[in-house]
Amino acid sequence: MPPFLLSATLHKVGTIHIRLESDVVRARNLGSMLAQEVKFDKTSSIRIGTAVSELSRNMIEHANGGTIDFYIAKRTVGGDGVVVVFSDQGPGIDQLDEIKNGSFISKKGMGVGLSGSQRLMDDFEIETHSGKGTTITIAKWLPPFAVGISESMLELTKTAFAETIKRGDSSLVETINAQNSELLYLLKNLHERNQEIETINKELEETNKGVLALNRELEDKALDIDKAKQQAEQANRAKSDFLAHMSHEIRTPMNAILGFTELLLKTNLSNSQKQYTQNVNNAGKALLEIINDILDFSKIEAGKLELDIVETDIFELLNQTIDIVKYTAAIKGLELQLTIQPDLPRFAMFDPIRLKQILINLLSNAIKFTEKGEIELKVEFNIKEENIGTFKFCVNDTGIGITSEQKQRLFKAFSQADGSTTRKFGGTGLGLVISNLLAEKMNSVLVLDSEWGKGSNFHFSIDTEYVTQKSENQSIVYRNILLLDNNSTNLKNIASYFDNWGVNFTLCESSFDALLELQTGNFDLFISNYNMPDMNGLEISAHIREKLHICSKSLKIALMYNASDEDKVNKVIATDYVYCNLMKPIKTDELLALICDKKNVKTDNVSTFKNQLVDQDIELNTILDKKVILIAEDVEMNMFLIKKIISNIFPNIEVMEATNGLMALEIVKKHHVDLILMDVQMPEMDGMEATENIRKIETESARNLPIIALTAGALKEEKEKAINAGMNDFLTKPIDTEQLELLLNKYLYGCPE
């Protein structure tokens, strides 16, 4: 029994024998009639009759006839149905697989009949044996929700069907009429379907017309959008050009304002004059910050700011960041903390300039909005996958905090948390916006956690490649250390470093406890905060040396101090009680150098350079007076300012002047020059062209004259143009005196930056 009949009960209603074509017609009619009695619809009844007709004809052609058994099937699951079984004693079917997959071709059409019938029925099964005949079982099922055939109806159907078979067809006319009726029904359905297709075609034609019209409209809109895009790009270019030009024009007088006020502050002024001059200088710096913010915001908004991802020393970057803001924090009496996870990789791929910009902005804001307490820059690290890690940067403060309402406008351009006209704190409101946009460029975002009156926490995370380096074996000299500080955060940070380095240490938060530990313990290094509430660093050091009689050979003393206490600490160092000092927040490299007893003096300015020469009994003027600097600058006021700054730093250097690039080129041809400060924008011949011509001359003499660009333009593109033109370095106006000094030391005397 075929698998599809396992859950069915079969009730045989009749059998007929197929030998002639007229038997095929009878079988067809009986199949359709039985289907109608079982309540199949007209279409399904015709399909059953057609399948019976095709299989009957195949039986005549292939096996010279056979037997057909008709059944009504009742199922417990699913609808009832009609089952028809075709049996013959023919030679069997050898090409069964070809017939089933539709590839068999028979001259008598057997393959067509079988495959066609199979498509008309719900279930279809063939069993064939070579030389022993074939049995084909087909089934058609009512829908599961159809009402099943009752027992009484079943008996009536069996009786009526048996009588029909016994009586036979009364005439060929009845058969033809029945077939015609079926054909007419099919034709009617076909006509209705054709009408539906015609209606659909008309709807499609109308739709196509609408689509064509819509396409034309979209094409017109695309042209409008493209035109608007071009106009927007042109407007952006015009805006960028305007901002760059305005920046240059504003920076030129700003150069004089800041430069001359700084020079003026170094002269003998009365207290009032000094205060007025300092106010002018501070106002100029504030204006310069506003210009820089607007330029950065404009570049990011126009999509022109690109990150410069390079391998970055994270520790050095964090130290530089802290150095920039620590004096501001010290003036307000705030404790500044740098918390670095001990196993943080030293090198990773960042844009150091833009990352530092974000951190400086967050720290500056934290200092601005914090009246007392501490500011913390914290960096954490987690490995994400091979050579990829997540660096989390946090800035915490104990300031005024931010309300939920203020958070909503915090990252909006030209807006501040406090938008009232009487706000206490100034600024453009662009700092956080720019920082957030830069974080987004780094595939991150600034997150704020804050509560009014309880401080704020800004943090962002960056996934980037990091460099795994082998840890160097450090020769640690001091392994028993006593650490004194009344700030618990600083104690915790330094303790984490000591743990990582395998150093024994004891922590104290009061001077009294520390002195008790020194009397009972065995320490070789004492690190103390200078500004303790009960005893300061000088008093503690004096007590250790004079009262406890612990000499410097037995115990080294190092003092930690804030930037505001630098002068006081220098006096303590002069007493020889103290071995060295460390400015807070403590840098890990300096702390490690201390416990390894490696105190390095960094030669990063001209005064140190001068001292080195004196120590070697070298006459300073014999070296310095040989240097000649050419200043190419067309603005008389700027020329005077730069000359004055240089004369203050290097009084023995000779300065030559050129008011345009052409004059600078002629001076280089006729005179010996050691360095050129080259303004970029000058009449007759600009700085770029002058530099290119100088480099052409040098190809013949194999000389490389240091040329430093001077420009009021602050865009990165201008620096790249200067470097591509052959310049060695770049100074932005207003000129930073310290930066100018560093560059002159570097290119004139070979001092490291």
Side-chain angles (χ1 to χ4, degrees), residues 236-249:
N236 272 333
R237 285 193 296 271
K239 182 176 72 172
S240 298
D241 292 343
F242 172 76
L243 285 172
H245 179 72
M246 289 305 299
S247 168
H248 184 277
E249 294 302 315

Side-chain angles (χ1 to χ4, degrees), residues 123-248:
D123 289 305
F124 191 96
E125 180 71 21
I126 300 178
E127 292 183 11
T128 184
H129 303 282
S130 180
K132 294 183 180 180
T134 300
T135 301
I136 300 175
T137 305
I138 63 174
K140 192 75 172 176
W141 306 105
L142 291 168
F145 54 82
V147 178
I149 301 173
S150 65
E151 292 297 329
S152 58
M153 188 64 187
L154 179 62
E155 291 301 322
L156 289 174
T157 302
K158 288 168 64 176
T159 301
F161 197 79
E163 287 294 328
T164 302
I165 294 175
K166 182 177 180 182
R167 184 178 68 251
D169 290 329
S170 59
S171 67
L172 187 59
V173 175
E174 291 183 8
T175 300
I176 294 171
N177 288 336
Q179 292 177 343
N180 285 338
S181 297
E182 292 177 3
L183 288 172
L184 289 172
Y185 177 78
L186 290 174
L187 287 172
K188 181 182 178 183
N189 285 345
L190 181 61
H191 179 69
E192 291 175 353
R193 187 63 55 85
N194 284 337
Q195 288 181 330
E196 291 177 4
I197 292 172
E198 288 179 3
T199 302
I200 292 172
N201 284 336
K202 290 179 180 178
E203 292 176 354
L204 286 174
E205 288 178 4
E206 294 298 324
T207 303
N208 285 336
K209 291 179 182 178
V211 169
L212 289 173
L214 183 60
N215 283 338
R216 285 193 295 270
E217 185 178 346
L218 288 174
E219 289 174 359
D220 292 340
K221 286 185 177 180
L223 291 173
D224 292 340
I225 290 172
D226 187 59
K227 185 177 180 181
K229 180 183 176 184
Q230 292 178 0
Q231 292 174 344
E233 290 174 350
Q234 185 177 358
N236 272 333
R237 285 193 296 271
K239 182 176 72 172
S240 298
D241 292 343
F242 172 76
L243 285 172
H245 179 72
M246 289 305 299
S247 168
H248 184 277

Side-chain angles (χ1 to χ4, degrees), residues 4-16:
F4 57 83
L5 295 180
L6 293 177
S7 63
T9 303
L10 300 181
H11 300 275
K12 189 173 182 179
V13 295
T15 302
I16 64 170

Side-chain angles (χ1 to χ4, degrees), residues 392-403:
K392 183 178 181 181
F393 300 88
C394 307
V395 173
N396 307 310
D397 66 60
T398 57
I400 60 176
I402 299 171
T403 66

Side-chain angles (χ1 to χ4, degrees), residues 247-260 637-638 734:
S247 168
H248 184 277
E249 294 302 315
I250 295 173
R251 282 172 180 272
T252 299
M254 285 301 302
N255 180 48
I257 293 171
L258 294 179
F260 283 117
M637 181 172 55
N638 287 342

Side-chain angles (χ1 to χ4, degrees), residues 505-619:
F505 61 92
T506 300
L507 305 179
C508 291
E509 295 191 32
S510 76
S511 303
F512 179 76
D513 291 340
L515 293 173
L516 286 178
E517 290 286 348
L518 287 171
Q519 294 180 62
T520 58
N522 183 23
F523 301 99
D524 47 21
L525 177 63
F526 175 46
I527 303 176
S528 171
N529 184 30
Y530 170 77
N531 194 8
M532 293 293 293
D534 41 8
M535 298 174 69
N536 64 33
L538 177 59
E539 294 169 338
I540 296 172
S541 302
H543 190 91
I544 292 171
R545 301 302 186 205
E546 298 173 6
K547 301 295 183 182
L548 301 183
H549 303 292
I550 302 176
C551 66
S552 58
K553 290 184 178 180
S554 301
L555 179 72
K556 293 291 191 294
I557 299 176
L559 291 184
M560 301 179 293
Y561 66 96
N562 292 319
S564 57
D565 295 324
E566 189 168 13
D567 292 338
K568 300 175 185 176
V569 173
N570 287 335
K571 293 178 182 178
V572 178
I573 295 293
T575 64
D576 293 329
Y577 289 161
V578 178
Y579 177 57
C580 68
N581 55 18
L582 298 168
M583 184 180 288
K584 299 169 76 175
I586 306 301
K587 298 176 181 177
T588 54
D589 289 345
E590 293 181 358
L591 185 63
L592 185 59
L594 169 61
I595 66 174
C596 293
D597 202 24
K598 296 179 181 178
K599 295 192 300 177
N600 297 319
V601 179
K602 189 178 180 183
T603 57
D604 59 355
N605 56 50
V606 72
S607 61
T608 307
F609 177 71
K610 292 176 182 177
N611 291 335
Q612 288 177 330
L613 295 176
V614 171
D615 291 341
Q616 298 172 26
D617 296 326
I618 298 176
E619 181 60 39

Side-chain angles (χ1 to χ4, degrees), residues 193-474:
R193 187 63 55 85
N194 284 337
Q195 288 181 330
E196 291 177 4
I197 292 172
E198 288 179 3
T199 302
I200 292 172
N201 284 336
K202 290 179 180 178
E203 292 176 354
L204 286 174
E205 288 178 4
E206 294 298 324
T207 303
N208 285 336
K209 291 179 182 178
V211 169
L212 289 173
L214 183 60
N215 283 338
R216 285 193 295 270
E217 185 178 346
L218 288 174
E219 289 174 359
D220 292 340
K221 286 185 177 180
L223 291 173
D224 292 340
I225 290 172
D226 187 59
K227 185 177 180 181
K229 180 183 176 184
Q230 292 178 0
Q231 292 174 344
E233 290 174 350
Q234 185 177 358
N236 272 333
R237 285 193 296 271
K239 182 176 72 172
S240 298
D241 292 343
F242 172 76
L243 285 172
H245 179 72
M246 289 305 299
S247 168
H248 184 277
E249 294 302 315
I250 295 173
R251 282 172 180 272
T252 299
M254 285 301 302
N255 180 48
I257 293 171
L258 294 179
F260 283 117
T261 52
E262 286 178 2
L263 291 175
L264 191 58
L265 285 168
K266 295 176 182 178
T267 63
N268 293 324
L269 300 173
S270 67
N271 289 335
S272 297
Q273 290 171 329
K274 190 171 184 179
Q275 182 179 356
Y276 298 156
T277 306
Q278 186 65 61
N279 288 341
V280 173
N281 187 266
N282 291 339
K285 290 178 179 178
L287 179 57
L288 187 61
E289 288 181 6
I290 293 172
I291 295 169
N292 291 336
D293 280 350
I294 293 174
L295 278 174
D296 273 347
F297 180 72
S298 176
K299 286 173 64 180
I300 297 172
E301 193 181 43
K304 291 188 175 182
L305 187 142
E306 297 296 333
L307 298 180
D308 185 14
I309 306 298
V310 296
E311 185 175 296
T312 302
D313 185 335
I314 306 171
F315 284 64
E316 183 63 25
L317 182 145
L318 296 172
N319 290 335
Q320 291 174 1
T321 302
I322 288 295
D323 284 343
I324 291 172
V325 300
K326 64 185 178 184
Y327 290 100
T328 309
I331 290 171
K332 293 189 70 173
L334 301 174
E335 190 81 23
L336 188 60
Q337 301 290 347
L338 176 58
T339 304
I340 302 176
Q341 187 171 309
D343 59 350
L344 184 82
R346 178 144 200 152
F347 295 93
M349 303 304 291
F350 291 106
D351 182 331
I353 295 175
R354 295 307 180 182
L355 177 57
K356 192 192 299 182
Q357 183 178 354
I358 296 175
L359 296 176
I360 290 172
N361 183 271
L362 294 178
L363 287 168
S364 298
N365 274 354
I367 294 170
K368 181 192 293 187
F369 295 104
T370 303
E371 295 300 327
K372 61 180 180 179
E374 65 181 32
I375 311 293
E376 180 187 28
L377 171 56
K378 184 176 182 180
V379 186
E380 299 174 344
F381 171 78
N382 285 300
I383 296 174
K384 189 173 183 181
E385 55 188 81
E386 186 177 2
N387 294 329
I388 301 294
T390 300
F391 293 81
K392 183 178 181 181
F393 300 88
C394 307
V395 173
N396 307 310
D397 66 60
T398 57
I400 60 176
I402 299 171
T403 66
S404 300
E405 182 183 353
Q406 291 170 342
K407 288 179 186 178
Q408 297 177 3
R409 57 175 179 268
L410 197 61
F411 295 104
K412 293 181 180 179
F414 304 102
S415 176
Q416 289 189 329
D418 179 10
S420 66
T421 56
T422 58
R423 63 177 181 239
K424 180 179 179 181
F425 308 101
T428 61
L430 283 176
L432 283 177
V433 178
I434 293 171
S435 297
N436 194 39
L437 291 172
L438 289 174
E440 289 177 357
K441 293 281 287 186
M442 300 174 188
N443 298 318
S444 183
V445 64
L446 279 184
V447 179
L448 167 63
D449 298 318
S450 181
E451 185 176 348
W452 178 252
K454 295 186 178 180
S456 301
N457 166 266
F458 284 91
H459 59 91
F460 61 99
S461 298
I462 299 174
D463 292 339
T464 189
E465 182 180 354
Y466 67 93
V467 180
T468 303
Q469 291 189 322
K470 293 182 180 179
S471 57
E472 298 179 3
N473 294 326
Q474 301 290 345

